[in-house]
Amino acid sequence: MRRDLALTGALLTAGGGAVLVAAFLPALYPVWTARGAKAVTILGQHRGTWQLANWLFAVGAGLTLAGLGALTGLLDRQPVHSAVPSAALTLMTLASTLWMATLAFRLTVTVRTADTVSGGGPIPDWYEHVSSWVGALWSAAALAGALAIIGYGLAVVGQPLLPGWTGWLAVGSGALMLGLFAATRDVPPVLLYIAPTAFGVSALIRAVTTNPAVP
């Protein structure tokens, strides 16, 4: 159990850390708050940082998905378990796949378009339409991810594996994502990784404090 908790905690904590670094790189604040053609114009001034951030998002998403897979295995081994963790993992896999597709667009098409604009060329007429379609992929990812996080939260609450507050945090953050989407049709990606990061840190603490005699 200690080894499994340590692995789960390491994956989730590393994944969450990568996402947090990506989301809060100061140079990209103007890009995150801009929209459409203006964002592409600003992006040309921060090309390297943009690529770094999106690679960190991708690494964080992969590590988090692996960590949640490990967490699902631990939850399934608890005396009282249900199909909820497996369903949540399926939803998170869908969300991560859609999010990765969005990141691939950012790292290829968006970067090339920014290069064109930086070189004095116009933004292609098709760019905003395709960008809107890719934005819809993230919207679907956010909804699936929010439901997944709520599922994990409900699975963790009442189990001795992790502290109960982490489960309620997950339920709250998932509900917040759904509420934000309903109100604004937009959800900051970092919200998807708050609860998994809390799971990870708690799992590492539990791994350290668990009786060494427990394998």
Side-chain angles (χ1 to χ4, degrees):
M1 178 68 75
R2 290 185 71 207
R3 289 191 296 269
D4 293 337
L5 276 172
L7 175 62
T8 300
L11 289 169
L12 291 174
T13 303
V19 169
L20 288 172
V21 171
F24 294 104
L25 287 172
L28 292 182
Y29 288 171
V31 179
W32 301 140
T33 56
R35 290 290 183 271
K38 184 178 179 181
V40 175
T41 302
I42 298 172
L43 174 58
Q45 305 167 19
H46 306 284
R47 187 181 191 275
T49 308
W50 171 263
Q51 290 176 302
L52 172 62
N54 284 285
W55 276 115
L56 284 172
F57 274 131
V59 170
L63 289 172
T64 297
L65 184 60
L68 289 175
L71 177 61
T72 300
L74 287 172
L75 290 169
D76 286 343
R77 286 157 50 188
Q78 296 302 298
V80 179
H81 62 85
S82 68
V84 172
S86 295
L89 180 60
T90 300
L91 286 170
M92 194 65 179
T93 301
L94 172 61
S96 298
T97 301
L98 295 173
W99 178 219
M100 288 288 194
T102 304
L103 293 172
F105 178 85
R106 289 181 174 187
L107 286 165
T108 54
V109 178
T110 300
V111 168
R112 290 172 187 168
T113 302
D115 288 343
T116 298
V117 174
S118 296
I123 296 177
D125 293 336
W126 51 264
Y127 177 78
E128 287 202 43
H129 298 290
V130 177
S131 181
S132 296
W133 182 81
V134 173
L137 293 182
W138 164 244
S139 295
L143 292 175
L147 294 174
I149 293 303
I150 290 173
Y152 276 111
L154 294 174
V156 166
V157 170
Q159 295 280 6
L161 185 66
L162 295 175
W165 67 264
T166 61
W168 290 119
L169 175 65
V171 172
S173 62
L176 175 61
M177 290 177 68
L178 294 176
L180 280 175
F181 183 82
T184 67
R185 291 297 184 269
D186 190 23
V187 178
V190 69
L191 290 181
L192 184 57
Y193 297 92
I194 290 176
T197 304
F199 290 153
V201 173
S202 297
L204 285 176
I205 293 173
R206 283 284 169 90
V208 171
T209 56
T210 297
N211 188 334
V214 179

